[in-house]
Amino acid sequence: MTDTLTKAPRPADRRRLLPTVSGVRGVVIGRPGVTLSVLVLLTVLGWAFVPEWFTGRDPLTGVAADRFLPPSGEHLFGTDQLGRDVYARVVHGASLSLRATVIAILIALAAGTVLGLVAGFFGRWADALIMRAVEVMMSVPPVLLSLTIVTALGFGTTEVAIAVGVTSVAGFARVMRAEVLRVRTAVYVEAAILCGARWWRILPRYILPAAVGPVLALAALDFGLVVLAVAGLSFLGYGEPPPAPEWGALVADGRTYLVTAWWLTTLPGLAVTAVVLAANRLSRVLESERSAR
């Protein structure tokens, strides 16, 4: 009987974890908004990994004679108060901001998945303890909780990422718990339990693959929100110290010169807005396609 369960075909839910390549191609083709979102995200990824392909200027050094130059063909986003090219700073700042975003999502995904698995599978006191802790986390405003954590850890990109990731754990844990409660009643899971399979085999082999789909979808949906949260903490001064070109710090640096040099705040802010909107648009379309499968 155990061999039969081991060789049993995977449930249909496991085939709907992520869209296939052909499915993604079908989502993009014929939809200008989705195509634009993909191009924006690919451009930002290029900024993060190969910034030298997009600009040859140094983001940390400037020319005193080029202070406060408006946007032009030579300086696409203009220059700042030290004569540094703002476009170069936005491009090189993508690696810092996206690194913090990825770390935050991975923390929230990993911790939320583990907590949701334990709460949903074992139930009783484990479920009560974990879900009460989750409810306490959700009762605290995310900004206040993030500020508390980053103040305790110290300033920096990694610290900001940890703070945002911990703040997002509660949502992932609730979604994972709900999926585990649904999958746990499946016939193949009950059969594995009746055959004497231990929990450390059931969870990764039978429950996790079938329950992780909505959690991954939530991670995609939260990408834009995490970018915004990381930029917000950086704007408040909790990120890397100057002259690091984090996106939120770039927006904050230009506030003093907003009247005379509007591009210092407006153009980096528009870059952040474009990334957030593109990520939200693409993730929602992919989620709707996944749900329809």
Side-chain angles (χ1 to χ4, degrees), residues 219-264:
L221 288 172
D222 276 1
F223 183 86
L225 296 178
V226 173
V227 170
L228 199 58
V230 169
L233 290 178
S234 177
F235 177 86
L236 296 174
Y238 292 97
E240 289 291 327
E246 284 188 334
W247 286 346
L250 294 180
V251 177
D253 290 343
R255 291 177 298 171
T256 307
Y257 313 99
L258 188 58
V259 176
T260 56
W262 57 269
W263 56 88
L264 296 183

Side-chain angles (χ1 to χ4, degrees), residues 63-195:
V63 180
D66 293 340
R67 297 171 63 248
F68 295 119
L69 292 179
S72 62
E74 184 177 1
H75 301 282
L76 296 180
F77 286 7
T79 60
D80 62 8
Q81 67 275 16
L82 298 178
R84 297 173 297 191
D85 187 82
V86 178
Y87 174 72
R89 289 177 62 76
V90 171
V91 170
H92 285 271
S95 61
L96 293 173
S97 298
L98 291 187
R99 184 184 71 184
T101 300
V102 171
I103 293 175
I105 290 178
L106 289 178
I107 290 174
L109 181 62
T113 298
V114 172
L115 292 176
L117 276 173
V118 173
F121 184 78
F122 293 101
R124 297 183 180 179
W125 64 267
D127 186 22
L129 180 62
I130 292 175
M131 295 316 296
R132 295 301 81 75
V134 166
E135 290 173 359
V136 170
M137 291 181 62
M138 298 190 71
S139 66
V140 181
V143 175
L144 180 59
L145 183 58
S146 298
L147 291 176
T148 303
I149 296 173
V150 77
T151 301
L153 295 177
F155 298 172
T157 301
T158 303
E159 288 76 8
V160 165
I162 294 174
V164 175
V166 172
T167 305
S168 306
V169 167
F172 286 86
R174 293 191 65 178
V175 172
M176 190 65 190
R177 174 182 176 270
E179 288 300 307
V180 171
L181 291 176
R182 179 185 63 82
V183 175
R184 188 182 178 185
T185 60
V187 174
Y188 65 93
V189 176
E190 294 182 347
I193 295 175
L194 291 175
C195 288

